[in-house]
Amino acid sequence: MSGTRRTVPRAGRLVDRFGRAHTDLRVSVTDRCNLRCTYCMPEEATFRPREELLTYEEIARVAGVAAGLGIRSIRLTGGEPLMRASLDELVRQLAAVPGIDDVALTTNGLLLAEQAEPLRRAGLHRLNVSLDSLREDVFERIARRRGLDRVLAGLAAARAAGFDAIRINAVSIRGLTEDEIVPLAAFCRRERFELRFIEFMPLDADGGWSDERVLSGREVRAILERDVGPLAPVDALDPGQPAVDFAWDDGAGRVGFIDPVSAPFCDRCDRLRLTADGQLRNCLFSTTEWDARAVLRSGEADGEVKARIAALFGKCVLAKRAAHGIGSPAFERPARAMYQIGG
Ligand code: SAM
Ligand code: SF4
């Protein structure tokens, strides 16, 4: 843990008790999704009523306060963010917030073919597309829905729209995804997509997670080095990123590993989260939330609302724990599953 322990955030900065400054806000725009990935959602999901979700104007208002406190980067997620109507309108509003210099999106890509162009025009900077398999039968076993063709069409459309640094995220689960690793790597090398493998975290709605099912980044890397070629460690493109990056020695791009279970990076965490229903969280595994929606809808004057939202951010950051604690006896799964938080 770097830095000295602090008891109050420095003025204008979201610094927690362990010296971590927060510059990244993950914003979920919906809990709905057009897939039902087994590691995330239940087969039968119930969703928040529409009126409980923050409006785009409310999200932009929170983003404005956050930017004043040092947030520089916003990533939209969900649920499936592209299921929310006119997401490009939100991107446009967020890209215009003074202080926000990076607006990114994580999507399953099913609706990307239609939306890539308007999103790009609205000012979306970066795009992560989740893709666990290039075989339709395996895709369907994991996602409980078909859709591989649409994801591939979405990727092509994103490239045509001018997104250059497109990243593919793949979750690694023992007994499920081992055979997908090498084909995904070959695809990303050929298409020049950056590939990231993410360890399975205990955030699945079905409660099927266990330590044994975590296929570690180290194991995935060993498979890649055995079957594809040597990988050399390289400096992170972004110092705050959780992924540890490697480059193919033949120059065919990079592979990153996000290993929250086998190699937690909590000491470098710079993220806060806003759920689709307007709750601030300081960690994926947080068991406490701070209700920004209630403040936004309190009917108070604009200045008062903004001051109270800023105070909520301060409380949220000061309550952040040193680490998520997965694997410790005291670890408690959050009540929400991944799709209800925003990954
Ligand atoms: N629906 C969008 C998508 O799939 O990209 C955005 C939301 S999804 C919750 C964000 C990311 O979280 C995806 O890359 C997904 O694979 C990942 N994810 C979901 N559940 C996970 C889990 N239990 N462990 C690790 N990653 C998970
Ligand atoms: Fe939907 Fe993304 Fe969760 Fe899959 S990981 S069920 S695409 S929210």
Side-chain angles (χ1 to χ4, degrees):
M1 202 63 51
S2 62
T4 50
R5 288 171 68 99
R6 303 182 63 83
T7 49
V8 284
R10 247 176 271 154
R13 289 189 64 205
L14 295 165
V15 180
D16 73 8
R17 292 175 299 147
F18 306 96
R20 296 172 294 198
H22 293 77
T23 55
D24 186 85
L25 182 65
R26 303 269 148 155
V27 176
S28 173
V29 296
T30 180
D31 53 355
R32 286 168 196 271
C33 190
N34 40 11
L35 296 179
R36 292 288 182 277
C37 303
T38 51
Y39 49 69
C40 177
M41 284 183 87
E43 171 78 71
E44 303 291 335
T46 49
F47 300 109
R48 304 254 166 204
R50 183 74 184 78
E51 63 275 14
E52 288 187 12
L53 304 190
L54 295 192
T55 64
Y56 289 168
E57 287 65 31
E58 288 172 328
I59 292 172
R61 215 167 165 201
V62 174
V65 173
L69 297 170
I71 293 291
R72 294 289 164 260
S73 165
I74 291 182
R75 177 172 293 276
L76 300 175
T77 180
E80 174 45 43
L82 297 186
M83 289 193 71
R84 186 94 185 243
S86 311
L87 192 72
D88 57 314
E89 185 41 48
L90 176 62
V91 169
R92 191 166 287 109
Q93 289 188 33
L94 294 176
V97 172
I100 298 298
D101 45 42
D102 179 34
V103 182
L105 172 73
T106 299
T107 171
N108 64 25
L110 263 73
L111 299 171
L112 195 53
E114 302 90 279
Q115 299 192 37
E117 176 68 37
L119 286 167
R120 182 76 184 165
R121 263 189 279 116
L124 187 71
H125 298 115
R126 291 186 297 141
L127 195 56
N128 285 6
V129 177
S130 303
L131 179 60
D132 301 319
S133 175
L134 292 163
R135 292 189 290 163
E136 186 68 63
D137 60 326
V138 180
F139 183 102
E140 192 174 349
R141 195 180 323 143
I142 295 173
R144 297 183 180 118
R145 299 278 191 279
R146 295 178 71 78
L148 176 61
D149 289 353
R150 291 167 72 192
V151 181
L152 297 177
L155 284 168
R159 172 137 306 151
F163 288 101
D164 42 16
I166 300 170
R167 193 177 281 153
I168 306 286
N169 285 342
V171 179
S172 302
I173 302 182
R174 193 181 308 287
L176 186 64
T177 65
E178 286 90 340
D179 292 346
E180 313 316 305
I181 294 168
V182 171
L184 275 174
F187 172 72
C188 290
R189 279 162 57 85
R190 191 176 67 238
E191 300 291 332
R192 286 292 193 270
F193 294 131
E194 194 177 319
L195 178 57
R196 284 208 170 150
F197 291 98
I198 308 174
E199 288 178 352
F200 183 23
M201 293 182 271
L203 289 168
D204 57 317
D206 291 340
W209 184 91
S210 70
D211 202 28
E212 296 78 59
R213 298 196 69 205
V214 178
L215 180 63
S216 71
R218 181 188 289 264
E219 292 171 277
V220 174
R221 182 153 57 90
I223 292 171
L224 291 171
E225 296 218 83
R226 187 192 65 203
D227 294 348
V228 184
L231 284 165
V234 283
D235 287 342
L237 292 173
D238 165 6
Q241 69 177 43
V244 177
D245 282 350
F246 289 77
W248 297 109
D249 76 339
D250 61 2
R254 286 173 170 244
V255 186
F257 299 90
I258 302 183
D259 301 339
V261 182
S262 71
F265 37 82
C266 303
D267 59 339
R268 293 183 282 123
C269 181
D270 64 356
R271 289 182 185 169
L272 298 173
R273 294 170 188 275
L274 180 66
T275 65
D277 56 326
Q279 308 301 303
L280 277 178
R281 299 173 65 90
N282 56 29
C283 178
L284 273 176
F285 297 96
S286 174
T287 48
T288 313
E289 298 179 337
W290 288 264
D291 191 351
R293 187 184 65 200
V295 177
L296 288 163
R297 296 182 184 176
S298 63
E300 289 166 319
D302 185 56
E304 181 63 20
V305 167
K306 286 180 176 155
R308 285 184 60 201
I309 298 278
L312 275 194
F313 269 102
K315 282 188 192 152
C316 175
V317 163
L318 282 184
K320 185 155 168 158
R321 288 179 297 207
H324 57 52
I326 296 172
S328 84
F331 176 71
E332 201 185 325
R333 270 185 72 130
R336 292 179 189 249
M338 187 65 119
Y339 74 104
Q340 298 164 315
I341 301 171

